Amino acid sequence: MKEIVKFTGNNAELFCRESADELHANAQVIVPETHCVLLIKDGVVSEALQPGRHDIFDTENGLFRLKKDSDVASVDFVFVSKTAKLPMLWGTSTPIRTRDPITDVPVSIGINGELEFRVKTPKQFYLELVGADTEYSVDKLKRRLQSRLMSVVEPTVAAIMREDRISYTEFTENKGRISEQLKDKLDEFFASEYGLELCSFAVGGAIISEADITAIERKRNELGVGTKVCAACGAIAVGGAKFCPECGASLTEGFCSHCGAKLEPNAKFCAQCGKKVK
């Protein structure tokens, strides 16, 4: 009778690691539809085996060699879920020191949010994040990913704010667009570095001190970019806005497209930033 190894873990977990000692040459593993499995023997990790029944050793389709039927061997089995998703909260451990793109005022900002991922490439995930760690836990995985994630989030956010000319006082109203750009960047990073698929990603919000907000607004007023008045409906909008928050009319006419400053009639260049009027 063949020795059979089966999955006995929890379907909600990203993976389950089990060990089997003294397996004989005819031993097989059964992989459920919801999982794939990695086999590990003497430090060698197999490619992921898909759902079905598989020989473990070197018979017709086996992976590891036993010299004769009477030999025995120990093998570790890592059953990796194809469907389980792991939610995770993320955030800056210390405020990001940067400068407001519109006013050049130095600011400290904290960013937080949430994401959800699942395993995309099982062998890469195991080798990069789990390996020989016998005390592996979900909390440990989250801590490992948190520091690497922030190494991407912090410079990417700063670049988005700078390139799109978004003031940090306008972060909340632009967080949907910022989330989309961050997700694209992080999805590529997670897949290439750790074999993970980023299922969802969202920026929850930003924390900026009242003192920094006041300093930005003061500087904006000095530069003449504090507010814009919609010519269509009379609503007030922040200087960096391109469309009216009330009626959707364009706010770019009469204002510099680069810094948002009000333009003099027939001006060819902005008096605040020197950019040519488009």
Side-chain angles (χ1 to χ4, degrees), residues 215-230:
I216 291 173
E217 294 300 337
R218 184 184 299 117
K219 189 65 175 179
R220 289 172 73 96
N221 290 330
E222 291 176 6
L223 295 174
V225 296
T227 59
K228 291 180 182 178
V229 179
C230 177

Side-chain angles (χ1 to χ4, degrees), residues 11-259:
N11 286 333
E13 295 177 338
L14 284 183
F15 77 94
C16 174
R17 183 163 52 193
E18 301 177 1
S19 296
D21 297 323
E22 299 187 350
L23 290 174
H24 289 84
N26 64 354
Q28 293 183 324
V29 59
I30 296 178
V31 187
E33 283 289 340
T34 53
H35 287 69
C36 61
V37 68
L38 301 170
L39 308 186
I40 305 168
K41 179 178 179 293
D42 299 330
V44 178
V45 182
S46 73
E47 296 298 328
L49 299 180
Q50 298 306 312
R53 182 188 292 255
H54 303 273
D55 291 328
I56 297 172
F57 299 106
D58 190 23
T59 54
E60 185 177 350
N61 298 303
L63 299 167
F64 302 119
R65 182 177 296 278
L66 288 183
K67 293 181 179 179
K68 50 189 177 180
D69 290 347
S70 60
D71 287 346
V72 295
S74 297
V75 178
D76 289 334
F77 299 82
V78 181
F79 290 92
V80 182
S81 174
K82 293 183 174 183
T83 58
K85 298 178 182 179
L86 184 65
M88 172 178 162
L89 299 177
W90 61 268
T92 49
S93 56
T94 57
I96 303 170
R97 293 291 298 169
T98 185
R99 287 184 174 273
D100 182 65
I102 304 298
T103 62
D104 202 38
V105 170
V107 296
S108 296
I109 184 168
I111 309 171
N112 59 67
E114 58 187 5
L115 59 84
E116 192 175 48
F117 60 82
R118 64 185 169 197
V119 178
K120 180 179 182 180
T121 311
K123 186 174 180 178
Q124 183 184 10
F125 163 74
Y126 179 83
L127 292 175
E128 294 295 336
L129 290 173
V130 183
D133 189 350
T134 57
E135 297 182 359
Y136 171 88
S137 68
V138 169
D139 287 340
K140 185 178 289 188
L141 170 62
K142 289 180 178 180
R143 288 196 297 271
R144 287 178 179 174
L145 291 176
Q146 167 77 5
S147 60
R148 294 303 306 277
L149 181 144
M150 295 313 302
S151 71
V152 177
V153 168
E154 293 183 7
T156 302
V157 167
I160 292 170
M161 304 296 280
R162 181 175 61 253
E163 292 168 6
D164 292 355
R165 302 289 295 171
I166 302 172
S167 173
Y168 281 97
T169 59
E170 302 161 14
F171 187 97
T172 299
E173 64 198 76
N174 287 279
K175 70 179 183 180
R177 179 153 56 101
I178 294 170
S179 292
E180 290 178 3
Q181 294 186 52
L182 271 174
K183 184 179 185 301
D184 290 341
K185 187 83 171 180
L186 288 166
D187 196 21
E188 180 182 346
F189 171 77
F190 270 66
S192 63
E193 293 290 324
Y194 301 122
L196 296 172
E197 177 186 358
L198 192 60
C199 303
S200 64
F201 178 87
V203 175
I207 302 171
I208 182 171
S209 71
E210 289 297 329
D212 284 349
I213 293 175
T214 299
I216 291 173
E217 294 300 337
R218 184 184 299 117
K219 189 65 175 179
R220 289 172 73 96
N221 290 330
E222 291 176 6
L223 295 174
V225 296
T227 59
K228 291 180 182 178
V229 179
C230 177
C233 70
I236 304 297
V238 293
K242 296 180 180 179
F243 297 94
C244 175
E246 294 296 329
C247 71
S250 174
L251 295 175
T252 58
E253 294 183 8
F255 296 91
C256 175
S257 60
H258 183 72
C259 72

